[in-house]
Structures are given as C-alpha cells and as structure tokens.
Amino acid sequence: MKTTYSYEELLKFDDPFEYEVGLPLKISDLPSSVMEEDIPNSKTTLFEKLAEGYSLIIQKPRIPNGKVFAALPLLDENEFMKLYMVNETTFTEALWDLLYEREYDLHWAFFLLKERKGVVFKLSYTGGETRSLTLSNLKANTLIHLRLEVNQSVTCRWD
C-alpha cells in the first residue's frame, strides 16, 4: 500500500495529521506532500535512515529510564517532558526495544528528521496547553514517522 497526499489535498482535510495520517506530534507548517506506505521492516528502515544522516527525535516523560537515555544528547526539557536526539552511533538495541514497547504510549513521540537546523520544537504540556510535541519552521525538510509494529511509514516533505 502506498498513498500520497499533495498540499492541495491536505488543505481539504479538517486535521490531516490527527485524523487522516495520525502523527504523534503537531506540525505548524503544512508539508508539500505526505506519503504513507508499507515498508518491509521498520527496524531495518530505521537503521538505513540513521545511516543516511537522519536524526531520531524522541520526546518522553521525565520518568527515569536509566542507562538507555544516559548517553543521549538532550535537546530540551520542561517540567513534564524531555527531548532527545539520536544518531547512528548513539542508537542501541535497548533503545529499539523501548521504542517498540512505547509506540502507542500517548506521552511518547518519536520520528526521524532530516535537518534539525532552524526547526523549533515546542514540548508538550508547555503551559498546560497540549499533550503533543509541536514542530515549526520545517523549511525544505523531511520528517518520517515509522509505525514499528505494523511496518509502515509516513513521510512528510517540505520544499
């Protein structure tokens, strides 16, 4: 299965990322296109994208996760959440297991991002407003959300 939505088609949806595409985050800037597709293996795709220079961004609650997150760069935090960045060299099997286990946890969000420069991350629960991580300033970028258990991906592209 492969479905592609153009910018014009996305404009017709009430909330394309919650109801149509189902991303675990909010995006302030509507992408040029969104592609949903079945992939052979989520884990293999994740490793390939990390090798291509993508960063894995993880938002998680401030609850302790010990050794898994100890060596990862912290991008931001607030009183409720922490935001980490993972690359090819910092990714571990233990982290894969944890992400797979937490895939449907409403307090977690993770996705691949091609370029981090200039992207604005607004952590969830900031000021009690929302439960979703919000991204903005995604100029000429690619964001990939992997659905680990069902081996699917959602790719958002900005031109």
Side-chain angles (χ1 to χ4, degrees):
M1 176 197 93
K2 185 175 182 177
T3 306
T4 303
Y5 301 101
S6 68
Y7 179 83
E8 291 75 21
E9 290 171 313
L10 292 169
L11 285 173
K12 294 177 185 175
F13 298 131
D14 287 334
D15 187 343
F17 301 110
E18 184 171 353
Y19 301 115
E20 299 298 326
V21 179
L23 293 179
L25 54 115
K26 292 186 180 197
I27 299 170
S28 297
D29 314 312
L30 201 60
S32 305
S33 67
V34 174
M35 181 178 60
E36 291 181 290
E37 66 182 324
D38 293 328
I39 53 177
N41 184 295
S42 295
K43 190 174 187 179
T44 302
T45 300
L46 176 58
F47 286 134
E48 288 170 356
K49 293 302 176 186
L50 289 172
E52 291 173 17
Y54 281 79
S55 297
L56 177 64
I57 308 297
I58 303 169
Q59 176 191 261
K60 66 173 266 331
R62 291 186 63 97
I63 58 173
N65 288 100
K67 297 176 185 176
V68 175
F69 287 92
L72 299 179
L74 184 64
L75 294 176
D76 198 5
E77 65 182 315
N78 65 18
E79 56 209 48
F80 302 103
M81 298 289 176
K82 289 188 174 192
L83 190 66
Y84 291 93
M85 194 274 305
V86 180
N87 61 31
E88 182 180 23
T89 59
T90 56
F91 192 82
T92 63
E93 195 67 33
L95 182 56
W96 166 261
D97 293 341
L98 186 60
L99 293 178
Y100 194 85
E101 175 185 317
R102 297 291 185 178
E103 180 173 13
Y104 299 108
D105 188 325
L106 294 176
H107 301 288
W108 287 66
F110 52 89
F111 54 91
L112 293 155
L113 194 59
K114 185 64 176 174
E115 284 292 327
R116 285 186 329 159
K117 185 176 181 179
V119 175
V120 177
F121 301 92
K122 184 177 178 188
L123 288 170
S124 64
Y125 292 106
T126 303
E129 296 169 7
T130 180
R131 292 174 59 156
S132 297
L133 174 66
T134 303
L135 302 181
S136 59
N137 202 30
L138 289 156
K139 305 173 197 166
N141 212 334
T142 302
L143 180 147
I144 301 171
H145 173 250
L146 295 176
R147 296 175 181 149
L148 308 180
E149 187 177 316
V150 295
N151 291 316
Q152 294 178 337
S153 73
V154 176
T155 303
C156 301
R157 286 195 168 83
W158 289 262
D159 294 335

